[in-house]
């Protein structure tokens, strides 16, 4: 029974020494049983491959510590079921509840239900277990300590007691059982002739104790560790500390291998001098070994390109390459995206969290709706989800979207119920189309509301049984039925989703088992969802086994040990990324760690981790870093980068700048090749049909971009659709009924007219409670109409009747004007009344000899003749509603148009064609048989309580003035606009003062100019 510790720097023959020892033992004892302990499965594969290459490994078992624990326990007849991650999470949750119920949890009570707290506790318990910290010792240690420490010890103790009472074991607990078995049975591992531990850089307290006991029973214990005895170099600090501890615990015979590391010259140069203030020679590299990219995303792309090049040009298998990063959470999505684009198969050492899988996210969204009262946006997103079959057509979903916008459904089943009734009613009382400022479009026009409603009712039924309390198992059954009903599992098609479903099944199983473990209790839906989320939070989606075959390994820097690769890339060598900024552990602080024998969280020897990582490569090494931060500021290099940089001439570094001309042959994907070809204005691979076709379409895209970047908008990519002029002329024929606002829209911006009025495109907005500008305008108009109706008919005083009229309109306003009152509605009503009071006061001062005789006078609607306007070459038809017509004692007329906004109401707005309404309405009044000569007209600014400075009477054009001058200008604009519309001239033109936010094209229009305020 001997224990030998082999120490040598990386790549200096430690694994070879292990294999030689195995062969020697097998030669002496051909039937000897040998165990090789490795840190993980990846290293196991590596060791077995080396063993096979050296002549075979019959009788040799390779596995992790956990595998050996299990083996020893099974041989001794001990079988204790191990809890899964999800079940462990549940048990921690129950323990926290129990300690809280006993009144012993005060410090952590505020966060006791947070998923993050439960996960942190699980990790803390695992670390304490790994360090062989017995609960009695921890309780004693914290007896007079702070509540935070004492409560942690309480939770730990209760968790372990509970586990023991249930006769289950957690993952780390297996080591304790194995240690107990070795202590109680001195022959438990005596059947093993040799145990080898290779590829480790350190051992937890439990593992050291296990090795110590093992060393007393097995024929021989052979342990390797990286390091150099007596070295004072920073990169060896950590390994020397580990060696010292192991020497003290195991009292081994120590052998130091004296072979020089078998590393290529450049890596050897780094190995010998990095982070070393001593003398060294600056070396040349024949190719760059350090790469700086602008951002982390480009860094990931360059990494994958470098790997792909080695794979394609040097025939290096992907499985012989590895990428290590300090923060895998940060780099994993970037590397995954680049790998997908470049077609490089990758395998991540850290599986994705189950709760972030798209299928599980969709399921959680479906389940969360009732607790959040069905917010409309997320409800519609769920209905659109490809993971469920709600037996609805795409058209139904589009129509539901329209209904929600029309009826402003913000959330809740109740709002949908009221909306169906309200829409049916308002459809029955559909009014004529008024001017655009105050008429909301009916988005539900043509929709069969009855059928749509019954379709949605089927969705509500899915939740019809959630109001009862059930056991966990019954809830899981309910969920399984729900998912089956919606065809969830039938719709799973990708490998990743399939794996996620398997993990989901495990998590659900854990919930059911946990009930058997912690006892059955009936819980409500909200509690079930919390428990489910807790189980999912702790779980991860295993990558398909096949995905590891011949794939590039991407792992964390600390995982770079044990295996060797032909090519290694280390990413993120910039300040703050690596070495990482260390933060104290809020649960297990540094004092506890020191006193309980846990690894320190601060002052970790990251230099040793770096040293281990770059020495993994046998042939190729690349170090990378981003040189710009997210906000475009220069990003300082990490001290490790600077230390390597010092060892080589400047040829060792390549900096990828945005303007760097890349060789097209180096592109890693067709997209990248085309991107570079566009930059270089030449495609070098004209022989490839697919690339050539895409290159030609990019040529077209180029023409579009050029056109959009031109100073003046023109051409077929900028709204010119002369090709369809004949159909436009047919649609906007002499019979077409124009409105002033449509003609103004064209005058304001032809492209807006095209998108809004011709194509009828409208942005989808999330419904919100409250009124929009159109609805406020409609309410103001209605109140002013009813007030002046009484003035006209009863000679009433406007200010005397305002309150009563306003209250009457407000009462039915939500139904009549299709809006959902916000909590501010009561306050808003008072504000609207006050505005109207001020405006009526000013209107009355303005009235003098004028008397209202026409209110809401329509023309061109329901049998009332339109305005037929002679614009020179033809007569066009116009419709509209004149807000108010007044007559004076001389029998003259004036028109007033109320406006809630106050912009574009000046004289210049008529001159430029932005505002044509007033002269058109004046002409309509003049043509009406019961009215006559119009001598005045103006816009009334309701909010400002004053008329526009532009009045028909003060408008001048060269030698004419008054209404006639305004008519002349308006007719010229109308003629020009109608002709432009018919000939398909719709080039965008940002209006003076900026584009209106309600223009549907603001989302994509290249001529958009900010600045407009819809007041
Ligand atoms: S965003 Fe501006 S320029 Fe573009 S279509 Fe709308 S109004 Fe015209």
């Amino acid at each position: 029974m001997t224990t030998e510790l082999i120490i040598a720097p990386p790549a200096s023959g430690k694994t070879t020494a292990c294999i030689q020892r195995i062969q020697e033992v097998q030669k002496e004892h051909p039937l000897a049983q040998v165990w090789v302990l490795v840190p993980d499965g990846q290293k196991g594969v590596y060791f077995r491959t080396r063993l096979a290459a050296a002549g075979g490994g019959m009788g040799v078992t390779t596995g992790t510590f956990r595998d050996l624990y299990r083996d020893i326990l099974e041989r001794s007849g001990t079988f204790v079921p191990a809890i899964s991650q999800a079940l462990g999470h549940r048990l921690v949750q129950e323990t926290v509840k129990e300690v809280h119920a006993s009144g012993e949890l005060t410090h952590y009570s505020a966060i006791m239900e947070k998923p993050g707290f439960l996960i942190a506790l699980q990790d803390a318990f695992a670390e304490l277990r790994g360090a062989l910290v017995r609960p009695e010792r921890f309780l004693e240690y914290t007896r007079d300590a702070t509540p935070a420490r004492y409560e942690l010890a309480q939770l730990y103790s209760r968790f372990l007691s509970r586990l023991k009472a249930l006769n289950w074991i957690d993952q780390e607990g297996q080591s304790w059982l194995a240690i107990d078995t070795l202590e109680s049975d001195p022959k438990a591992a005596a059947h093993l002739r040799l145990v080898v531990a290779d590829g480790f850089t350190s051992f937890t307290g439990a593992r050291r104790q296990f090795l110590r006991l093992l060393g007393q029973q097995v024929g021989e214990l052979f342990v390797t560790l990286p390091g150099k005895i007596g070295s004072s170099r920073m990169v060896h600090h950590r390994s020397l500390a580990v060696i010292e501890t192991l020497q003290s615990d195991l009292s081994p015979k120590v052998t130091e291998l004296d072979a020089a590391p078998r590393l290529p010259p450049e890596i050897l140069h780094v190995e010998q001098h990095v982070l070393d203030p001593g003398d060294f020679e600056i070396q040349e590299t024949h190719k760059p070994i350090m790469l700086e990219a602008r951002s982390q995303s480009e860094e990931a792309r360059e990494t994958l390109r470098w790997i792909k090049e080695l794979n394609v040009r040097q025939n290096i298998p992907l499985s012989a390459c590895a990428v290590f990063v300090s923060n895998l959470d940060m780099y994993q999505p970037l590397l995954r995206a680049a790998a997908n684009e470049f077609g490089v198969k990758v395998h991540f050492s850290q599986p994705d969290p189950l709760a972030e899988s798209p299928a599980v996210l969709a399921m959680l969204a479906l389940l969360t709706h009732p607790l959040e009262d069905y917010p409309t946006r997320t409800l519609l997103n769920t209905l659109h989800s490809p993971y469920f079959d709600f037996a609805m057509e795409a058209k139904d979903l589009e129509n539901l979207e329209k209904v929600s916008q029309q009826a402003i459904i913000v959330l809740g089943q109740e709002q949908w119920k009221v909306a169906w009734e309200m829409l049916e009613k308002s459809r029955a009382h559909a009014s004529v189309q008024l001017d655009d400022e105050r008429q909301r479009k009916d988005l539900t026009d043509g929709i069969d509301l009855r059928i749509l409603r019954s379709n949605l009712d089927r969705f509500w039924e899915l939740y019809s049984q959630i109001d009862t309390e059930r056991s966990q198992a019954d809830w899981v059954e309910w969920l399984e039925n729900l998912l089956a009903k919606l065809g969830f599992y039938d719709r799973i098609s990708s490998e990743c989703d399939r794996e996620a479903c398997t993990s989901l099944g495990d998590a659900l199983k854990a919930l059911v088992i946990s009930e058997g473990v912690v006892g059955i209790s009936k819980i409500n839906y909200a509690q079930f969802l919390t428990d489910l989320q807790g189980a999912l939070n702790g779980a991860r989606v295993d990558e398909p086994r096949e995905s590891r075959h011949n794939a590039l390994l991407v792992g964390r820097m600390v995982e770079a040990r044990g295996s060797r690769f032909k090519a290694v890339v280390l990413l993120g060598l910039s300040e703050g990324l690596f070495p990482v900024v260390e933060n104290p552990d809020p649960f297990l602080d540094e004092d506890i760690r020191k006193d309980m024998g846990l690894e320190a969280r601060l002052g970790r020897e990251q230099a040793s981790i770096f040293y281990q990582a770059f020495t993994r490569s046998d042939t190729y090494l690349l170090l990378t870093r981003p040189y710009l931060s997210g906000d475009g500021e220069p990003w300082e290099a990490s001290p490790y980068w600077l230390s390597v940089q010092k060892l080589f001439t400047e040829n060792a570094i390549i900096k990828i700048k945005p303007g760097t001309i890349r060789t097209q042959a180096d592109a890693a994907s067709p997209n990248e090749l085309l991107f570079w070809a566009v930059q270089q204005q030449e495609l070098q691979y004209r022989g490839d049909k697919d690339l050539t076709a895409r290159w030609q379409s990019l040529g077209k895209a180029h023409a579009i971009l050029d056109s959009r970047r031109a100073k003046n908008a023109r051409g077929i990519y900028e709204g010119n659709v002369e090709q369809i002029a004949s159909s436009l002329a047919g649609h906007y024929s002499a019979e077409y009924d124009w409105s002033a606002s449509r003609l103004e829209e064209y005058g304001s911006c032809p492209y807006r007219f095209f998108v809004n009025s011709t194509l009828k495109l409208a942005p989808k907005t999330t419904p919100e409670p409250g009124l929009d500008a159109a609805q406020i305008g409609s309410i103001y108009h209605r109140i002013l109409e009813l007030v002046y109706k009484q003035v006209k008919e009863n000679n009433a005083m406007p200010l005397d009747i305002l309150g009563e009229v306003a209250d009457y309109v407000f009462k039915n306003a939500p139904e009549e004007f299709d809006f959902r009152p916000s909590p501010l509605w009561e306050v808003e009503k008072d504000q609207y009344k006050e505005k109207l009071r001020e405006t009526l006061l000013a209107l009355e001062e303005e009235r003098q000899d004028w008397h209202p005789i026409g209110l809401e006078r329509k023309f061109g609607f329901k049998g009332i003749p339109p305005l037929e306007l002679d614009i020179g070459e033809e007569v066009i038809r116009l419709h509209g509603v004149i807000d108010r017509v007044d007559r004076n004692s001389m029998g003259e007329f004036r028109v007033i148009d109320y406006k809630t906004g106050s912009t574009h109401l000046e004289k210049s707005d008529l001159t430029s064609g932005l505002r044509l309404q007033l002269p058109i309405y004046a002409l309509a009044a003049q043509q009406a048989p019961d009215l006559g000569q119009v001598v005045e007209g103006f816009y009334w600014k309701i909010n400002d309580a004053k008329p526009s400075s532009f009045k028909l009477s003060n408008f001048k054009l060269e030698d004419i003035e008054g209404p006639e001058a305004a008519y002349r200008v308006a007719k010229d604009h109308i003629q020009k606009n109608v002709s432009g519309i018919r000939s398909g001239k719709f080039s965008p033109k940002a209006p003076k003062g900026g584009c209106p936010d309600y223009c549907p094209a603001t989302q994509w229009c290249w001529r958009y100019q900010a600045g407009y305020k819809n007041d």
Side-chain angles (χ1 to χ4, degrees), residues 745 748-753 755 986-991 994-996 998-1010:
E745 187 177 50
S748 160
C749 173
Y751 191 60
R752 174 153 77 90
F753 173 89
V755 172
F986 298 117
S987 292
K989 178 186 78 179
C995 301
Y998 51 81
C999 168
T1002 47
Q1003 297 180 27
W1004 71 84
C1005 177
W1006 283 48
R1007 306 285 168 177
Y1008 170 79
Q1009 278 181 25

Side-chain angles (χ1 to χ4, degrees), residues 689-708:
K689 259 166 101 186
D690 183 43
L691 281 176
T692 307
R694 290 178 65 185
W695 173 250
Q696 281 161 355
S697 25
L698 281 170
K700 284 184 198 148
H702 205 284
I704 295 171
L705 284 179
D706 278 352
S707 159
R708 290 185 164 185

